[in-house]
Amino acid sequence: MSGSNPDKEQIKPRSAAAVGKMDLSEEEEVGAEQDWAAAKAAYESLTSTKRPRPPKPQNAITIAVSSRALFDMVEERKIYEEQGVEKYVEYQQANENVTLKPGPAFAFVKAVEQVNARLRELYPDDEELFDIVLMTNNHAQVGVRLINSINHYGLLIERFCMTGGKTPIGYLKAYLTNLYLSADSEKVQEAIEEGIAAATMFTGNKNVPYDDKQLRVAFDGDAVLFSDESEIIVKEHGLDRFFEHEQINENKPLAQGPLKGFLEDLGRLQKKFYAKNERLDSPIRTYLVTARSAASSGARVLKTLRSWGVQIDEALFLAGAPKGPVLAKIRPHIFFDDQMFHIEGAQQLGTIAAHVPYGIGQKYYKSKLKDSTATAAKK
């Protein structure tokens, strides 16, 4: 189980219709439209390629991905930490024609692009598509290797943000980001505190095949889709009080958590496929994988989703059982959870997992981590 701290309920990660898409004056809107039309014309006049043009940012579902989430840069990171930034940049430039290996977010990005391809077939003029932005604190000198690797794999990533060693978090809203994926937990925490849906990526410990025609996204419930209201009760008062609380509040929707907006984004795109009679063959499938018990606390979850107008394809209530085996069966391109022990269990069986640092569970995780570090130091 997982959820959202009442003190944090004002931190409401926003959906595609909200993040960065602030109210503009009529004059500003006209100016923005003119700027976009000019940029579109320039792009189309300069390129003879058949690569699709990126969607208009105001219409897109923007996913910002860090270079270390998209690619395996463990060795490069080691050089940076042990030898410094100059040696790191020198190494990257010397190896700019050596293709980087896929990282934890790679399969997810590929699947997202398959969804875009299908949407473009069905809705040629619609710009409500995924837009992947490479958001990295790398220096621009490293950009050639990143571009070469992206082109090697045929990824359609046109927008870059390279901040030269500075944190890129301040640019997330400027890029109208709906979801931020990074290998850096501190930056992810910073994004969450800014009200942007974000998660730290972890590679699965086994190589497993992924469906290349259907994007599969799995979510934990509390502190991911929902607030940690219920999780607080579990941590502070125990399961019996939690079950009692959920039954009393069965008809009261849970407050939203960090990933609610992204689930809504996926749902809007799913409806586009349903409108074309592709419900049974949709290239997007969503899963709720929760440690809650269905009989004792599941009704409130399902009624909350219903009240949001959100449909989830599969709901799996595990009543405290490990999530790893179920996730190994689903084989999601990404699994979001706020509890590190669920992330680690998923990793062991090959699932690519994304940690959402939100809610009261982080307090307990950090306390446990501090205790284990202190114990190790004494040995």
Side-chain angles (χ1 to χ4, degrees), residues 16 21 32 48 70-71 75 89 92-93 117 138 151 163 172 180-181 190 202 225 249 281 289 297 302 332 339-340 353:
K21 300 156 178 74
S48 59
L70 184 60
F71 296 117
E75 290 302 317
V89 171
Q92 293 284 40
Q93 289 180 320
N138 263 298
N151 288 336
T163 60
L172 291 174
Y180 173 57
L181 301 175
E190 192 178 343
F202 294 89
L225 291 179
N249 292 281
D281 196 30
V289 182
S297 59
L302 297 177
Q339 307 267 10
M340 276 305 300

Side-chain angles (χ1 to χ4, degrees), residues 24-147:
L24 299 174
S25 69
E26 188 172 333
E27 183 178 342
E28 287 172 326
E29 274 190 32
V30 170
E33 288 295 328
Q34 290 174 339
D35 288 345
W36 176 251
K40 176 182 175 182
Y43 181 92
E44 291 175 346
S45 67
L46 288 172
T47 179
S48 59
T49 180
K50 295 194 175 183
R51 288 167 69 96
R53 177 176 51 81
K56 186 176 180 180
Q58 285 83 349
N59 298 335
I61 298 167
T62 301
I63 301 172
V65 182
S66 76
S67 55
R68 287 198 293 135
L70 184 60
F71 296 117
D72 179 348
M73 299 179 71
V74 173
E75 290 302 317
E76 288 78 5
R77 183 67 179 178
K78 187 176 179 182
I79 291 170
Y80 174 82
E81 292 174 347
E82 295 180 357
Q83 301 180 41
V85 64
E86 297 304 326
K87 287 292 184 183
Y88 168 79
V89 171
E90 182 182 317
Y91 175 85
Q92 293 284 40
Q93 289 180 320
N95 289 274
E96 61 187 24
N97 293 318
V98 178
T99 303
L100 291 161
K101 294 179 181 178
F106 186 89
F108 172 72
V109 169
K110 289 287 285 185
V112 158
E113 291 192 346
Q114 288 298 314
V115 174
N116 275 357
R118 189 72 186 116
L119 283 168
R120 285 187 171 106
E121 289 176 10
L122 296 173
Y123 300 92
D125 299 322
D126 194 345
E127 288 197 326
E128 189 174 30
L129 303 162
F130 291 111
D131 186 22
I132 305 296
V133 173
L134 189 71
M135 184 78 63
T136 173
N137 64 352
N138 263 298
H139 290 256
Q141 295 92 324
V142 180
V144 173
R145 190 178 188 195
L146 293 171
I147 290 169

Side-chain angles (χ1 to χ4, degrees), residues 229-230 233 241-249 300:
E229 163 201 335
S230 300
I233 294 172
R241 179 70 179 276
F242 162 74
F243 292 143
E244 179 185 344
H245 176 268
E246 293 305 283
Q247 288 172 351
I248 291 172
N249 292 281
R300 190 180 185 196

Side-chain angles (χ1 to χ4, degrees), residues 207-269:
N207 289 324
V208 299
Y210 293 96
D211 191 308
D212 60 359
K213 293 183 180 179
Q214 184 179 65
L215 171 65
R216 297 180 182 178
V217 183
F219 299 89
D220 176 35
D222 300 289
V224 174
L225 291 179
F226 315 119
S227 76
D228 66 350
E229 163 201 335
S230 300
E231 188 73 12
I232 290 170
I233 294 172
V234 174
K235 298 293 188 186
E236 297 183 352
H237 303 287
L239 278 173
D240 288 341
R241 179 70 179 276
F242 162 74
F243 292 143
E244 179 185 344
H245 176 268
E246 293 305 283
Q247 288 172 351
I248 291 172
N249 292 281
E250 179 180 318
N251 294 312
K252 178 184 177 182
L254 288 153
Q256 75 174 56
L259 271 293
K260 181 214 177 190
F262 186 57
L263 176 62
E264 289 177 322
D265 295 333
L266 294 173
R268 283 200 315 280
L269 295 187

Side-chain angles (χ1 to χ4, degrees), residues 150-188:
I150 284 169
N151 288 336
H152 170 83
Y153 294 110
L155 299 176
L156 299 176
I157 301 177
E158 304 290 352
R159 297 193 226 274
F160 275 41
C161 179
M162 307 184 71
T163 60
K166 302 295 185 180
T167 178
I169 302 305
Y171 288 99
L172 291 174
K173 288 183 181 178
Y175 275 78
L176 312 186
T177 302
N178 299 89
L179 175 66
Y180 173 57
L181 301 175
S182 174
D184 188 324
S185 61
E186 291 184 4
K187 290 187 179 66
V188 167

Side-chain angles (χ1 to χ4, degrees), residues 14-26:
R14 290 151 285 188
S15 67
V19 174
K21 300 156 178 74
M22 307 301 181
D23 291 337
L24 299 174
S25 69
E26 188 172 333

